[in-house]
Amino acid sequence: MATIVLWTVAFGLCQLIRDRQTHLHEEQRWQLLAQQTNDILWDWDLRTNAHWWSNNAITTFGYDPMQEPSIMAWHSRLHPEDHTSIQESLQSAIDSGQSGWSGKYRFRIHDHSYRTFLDRGTVLHNESGTAVRMIGAMIDITEPKQAEAALRLSESRFTNLVNHLDSVVWEAAAGSLQFMYVSPHAEALLGYPMRQWLEDPQFWPQHIHPDDRDATVQACLAATADGRSHTAEYRMIAADGHIVWVHDAVTVTYEDSAPHTVRGVMVDVTDRKQAEQALMDTQQRLKQSLEASNTGIWEWNTVTSSVHFSTEWKRQLGHESHEIADSFSEWESRLHPDDHARSLAYAMNYLAHPTGYYSQEFRLRHKDGTYPWIAAKASILPEPDGRRIWMRGSHTDITALKTA
């Protein structure tokens, strides 16, 4: 238990440091991009609703939008006739797992007039596939004579923005899955030149790990044929032979009522996968050690009263896993009559005042009718929000010590 707690804390601190370094690096690049374009660049944190605008928003809007650094400031200035459709299309892109979104709408500026903007964004997902962030660019297309040029310029600016992501943004033909476009980070991800990604029709399937290839390709083809957005995690083989785990979020686009292209964002999740495997290995070693030492593990949700007993906990009492339910009453009903009141009172008192460690000894009824002595130790670790919910502990058979 202590090993897992220390390992988890260490991993969390390392992840926090990496996240902060990445954030600072990205913000520097965003500021440079913002200085080189007339587009209004934006960054929306979907978890907190915080919303960042580039400085040229002040010139276009006539006020500083960062005085209200929330997505609600943007929502409130949409034209009433555009408000519902834009919000629905934006939410649909986030909820359906799409990698991109675009919309044209009227937006209120400082003099209460409305200007028309073309807005395009990319949805970024975390390792588990949850949408956590959107980045994009707005361009003013109010003047008809500027619209065509603005669209071309927006395409160029948007491409420039995508090319600075630490992820691979890609587009492929729906039928063959041959890449038609990959962003420059593709070379950094696997070490192959972009030309090879684009010219080899079999580049994607041939560079998926053999153990993942068939299932991954068939799942993508099936989802594409059905027009479904989908996600996948699989291994790819880099140019130097090392394995890269990727999380791929894919969107299907239509032409003439049929799937035409697939677009996605490919994120390197190798560190997370290695961390998960390391944790699984640690848990397996701990499980083997606990079984070898005849130690049973239990946990008790003090809010819902749900309980879980490990297989070894039940075997200490002569039972197979299915013979004892995971409930508080299973423990209480097996207490020796002479220990029942004392042991239950101790547990309730610790629950009311959870300081230090829980430690007591009592006898529990074995399947054969005997009462082995048990040493119980536990503690309540605080949740991230400070609440104390889970009480986790161990049972060790100390009968030999008691009867020596």
Side-chain angles (χ1 to χ4, degrees), residues 113-183:
S113 66
Y114 286 88
R115 299 192 69 82
T116 303
F117 290 88
L118 174 67
D119 203 346
R120 304 180 69 188
T122 291
V123 184
L124 303 181
H125 300 77
N126 63 14
E127 297 87 346
S128 63
T130 302
V132 296
R133 180 183 173 196
M134 283 191 71
I135 62 172
M138 296 172 60
I139 187 166
D140 189 340
I141 58 171
T142 304
E143 302 300 330
K145 65 180 182 180
Q146 297 176 344
E148 186 177 348
L151 287 172
R152 290 197 300 268
L153 181 60
S154 178
E155 183 72 30
S156 174
R157 301 302 191 194
F158 188 74
T159 299
N160 189 31
L161 178 64
V162 167
N163 289 346
H164 284 76
L165 290 175
D166 289 330
S167 305
V168 178
V169 179
W170 58 268
E171 183 177 81
S176 65
L177 299 182
Q178 179 178 356
F179 289 118
M180 298 184 295
Y181 167 80
V182 292
S183 60

Side-chain angles (χ1 to χ4, degrees), residues 69 89 96 107 127 138 148 150 165 175-176 183 198 220 245 269 272 288 317 323 339-340 343-344 356 368 376 389 392:
S89 70
S96 63
F107 190 82
E127 297 87 346
M138 296 172 60
E148 186 177 348
L165 290 175
S176 65
S183 60
L198 299 173
C220 184
W245 273 97
V269 294
R272 191 253 292 172
Q288 293 171 344
L317 303 179
E323 294 178 329
D339 301 337
H340 185 280
S343 300
L344 188 60
D368 63 10
I389 297 176
R392 296 180 171 95

Side-chain angles (χ1 to χ4, degrees), residues 43-52 68-72 75:
D43 187 341
W44 175 20
D45 188 327
L46 301 178
R47 297 161 297 188
T48 65
N49 268 340
H51 196 281
W52 175 88
E68 301 176 83
S70 165
I71 193 64
M72 300 311 298
H75 285 170

Side-chain angles (χ1 to χ4, degrees), residues 304-333:
T304 66
S305 293
S306 62
V307 177
H308 172 73
F309 302 120
S310 69
T311 299
E312 188 56 33
W313 190 99
K314 298 174 183 181
R315 286 177 179 169
Q316 283 182 345
L317 303 179
H319 292 274
E320 293 302 318
S321 183
H322 67 278
E323 294 178 329
I324 295 182
D326 287 334
S327 70
F328 183 82
S329 62
E330 293 282 7
W331 170 75
E332 182 183 358
S333 65

Side-chain angles (χ1 to χ4, degrees), residues 251-301:
T251 301
V252 183
T253 62
Y254 281 78
E255 188 171 297
D256 297 327
S257 302
H260 182 257
T261 58
V262 284
R263 295 168 179 162
V265 179
M266 194 181 295
V267 181
D268 184 346
V269 294
T270 305
D271 288 346
R272 191 253 292 172
K273 285 290 187 177
Q274 291 176 343
E276 289 175 351
Q277 185 60 51
L279 179 58
M280 290 174 61
D281 292 343
T282 299
Q283 290 174 329
Q284 181 61 29
R285 289 193 297 270
L286 178 61
K287 181 176 182 291
Q288 293 171 344
S289 298
L290 292 172
E291 290 176 351
S293 64
N294 193 29
T295 301
I297 300 298
W298 55 272
E299 58 181 10
W300 175 22
N301 186 312

